[in-house]
Amino acid sequence: DAGVTQSPTHLIKTRGQQVTLRCSPKSGHDTVSWYQQALGQGPQFIFQYYEEEERQRGNFPDRFSGHQFPNYSSELNVNALLLGDSALYLCASSLEGRGFGNTIYFGEGSWLTVV
Amino acid sequence: AQTVTQSQPEMSVQEAETVTLSCTYDTSENNYYLFWYKQPPSRQMILVIRQEAYKQQNATENRFSVNFQKAAKSFSLKISDSQLGDTAMYFCAFMTHGSSNTGKLIFGQGTTLQVKP
């Protein structure tokens, strides 16, 4: 049973460019959340997707956008990259409606370096 | 707004000894969940233990246990018989149980734990 998979694992982009990160949720999961983790900090919630719609959003600018596909996989897009966007981007998946029994699984993340 | 605070940036413990990591949180909610996650150098976030706010009994998972003090908004993690594999960054996290059963996690800043041989 594959867990949460993310791609790419590492990438380097130039300021002003755009980046797309991808996530496949754990088998059977229908909800995907994205987090940004700066070096030495705790993860910060970006947004959550369920039924192909953004359901919750954290305090991130509109440069951060996402998408969820019918197979529940998801993409995170960041436009007009800034140096401060350099971070580990974590994807987490879960199953809606399970309440507290719902375990949230994380992927290993995508390291983004903006130069 | 909910916040989670971990006041110990770094801690160390000798192998086989016991260590306690501290966490405090702030919320006006009454129904919520608390978690401890471990993040080893591989960077994958791994759930260590979780606690429902309405439960008085402290959660226990093998060598890991919590001391949940709801009135004080405190949620500490005790690791007994520390092992070298426990070396990692530990995050305390909070989640409300709102209109959606799958809420967002709010993390603390983390505590780096080093287990020494």
Side-chain angles (χ1 to χ4, degrees):
Chain A
D1 177 21
V4 180
T5 58
Q6 294 187 241
S7 64
T9 53
H10 295 82
L11 70 166
I12 300 173
K13 289 286 187 178
T14 303
R15 272 182 301 174
Q17 284 189 319
Q18 179 263 347
V19 68
T20 297
L21 308 178
R22 296 175 177 81
C23 172
S24 292
K26 180 177 169 60
S27 178
H29 284 187
D30 58 6
T31 302
V32 173
S33 300
W34 287 92
Y35 292 81
Q36 180 195 66
Q37 186 179 14
L39 197 61
Q41 302 293 318
Q44 299 287 319
F45 177 80
I46 302 174
F47 44 51
Q48 182 182 86
Y49 277 85
Y50 172 66
E51 291 189 338
E52 302 179 48
E53 291 192 359
E54 183 182 293
R55 180 164 65 177
Q56 292 192 69
R57 189 178 183 92
N59 189 23
F60 279 81
D62 292 343
R63 297 187 297 109
F64 290 77
S65 63
H67 189 76
Q68 185 179 35
F69 299 93
N71 66 353
Y72 308 121
S73 67
S74 176
E75 287 182 349
L76 164 65
N77 300 292
V78 186
N79 294 322
L81 285 167
L82 304 173
L83 295 179
D85 295 331
S86 295
L88 177 70
Y89 288 85
L90 293 167
C91 174
S93 77
S94 53
L95 180 61
E96 174 67 8
R98 294 292 301 278
F100 186 61
N102 185 8
T103 297
I104 299 171
Y105 290 85
F106 283 84
E108 293 190 2
S110 293
W111 271 109
L112 171 65
T113 301
V114 182
V115 297
Chain B
Q2 293 92 3
T3 59
V4 177
T5 302
Q6 294 177 248
S7 59
Q8 305 153 314
E10 295 181 1
M11 293 194 72
S12 65
V13 63
Q14 291 296 130
E15 197 175 5
E17 292 189 346
T18 295
V19 64
T20 298
L21 308 183
S22 301
C23 172
T24 58
Y25 59 94
D26 189 26
T27 183
S28 57
E29 302 283 339
N30 191 50
N31 193 10
Y32 52 88
Y33 312 129
L34 294 161
F35 306 83
W36 279 97
Y37 279 89
K38 169 185 176 181
Q39 189 177 43
S42 69
R43 306 303 291 181
Q44 185 165 23
M45 203 72 76
I46 301 165
L47 178 65
V48 174
I49 198 166
R50 59 189 175 187
Q51 174 84 39
E52 297 162 273
Y54 72 86
K55 284 191 175 179
Q56 299 280 346
Q57 188 173 5
N58 289 323
T60 299
E61 288 287 342
N62 301 315
R63 298 183 294 108
F64 300 88
S65 62
V66 299
N67 182 5
F68 174 47
Q69 301 289 330
K70 190 172 184 179
K73 296 181 181 175
S74 169
F75 184 61
S76 61
L77 173 70
K78 185 172 82 171
I79 306 175
S80 304
D81 186 26
S82 297
Q83 300 176 0
L84 295 178
D86 295 334
T87 293
M89 196 154 186
Y90 286 81
F91 291 96
C92 178
F94 170 98
M95 184 172 79
T96 58
H97 185 263
S99 57
S100 163
N101 287 336
T102 307
K104 69 179 186 183
L105 286 164
I106 299 169
F107 287 88
Q109 306 93 314
T111 296
T112 300
L113 176 66
Q114 171 104 37
V115 179
K116 298 179 178 178

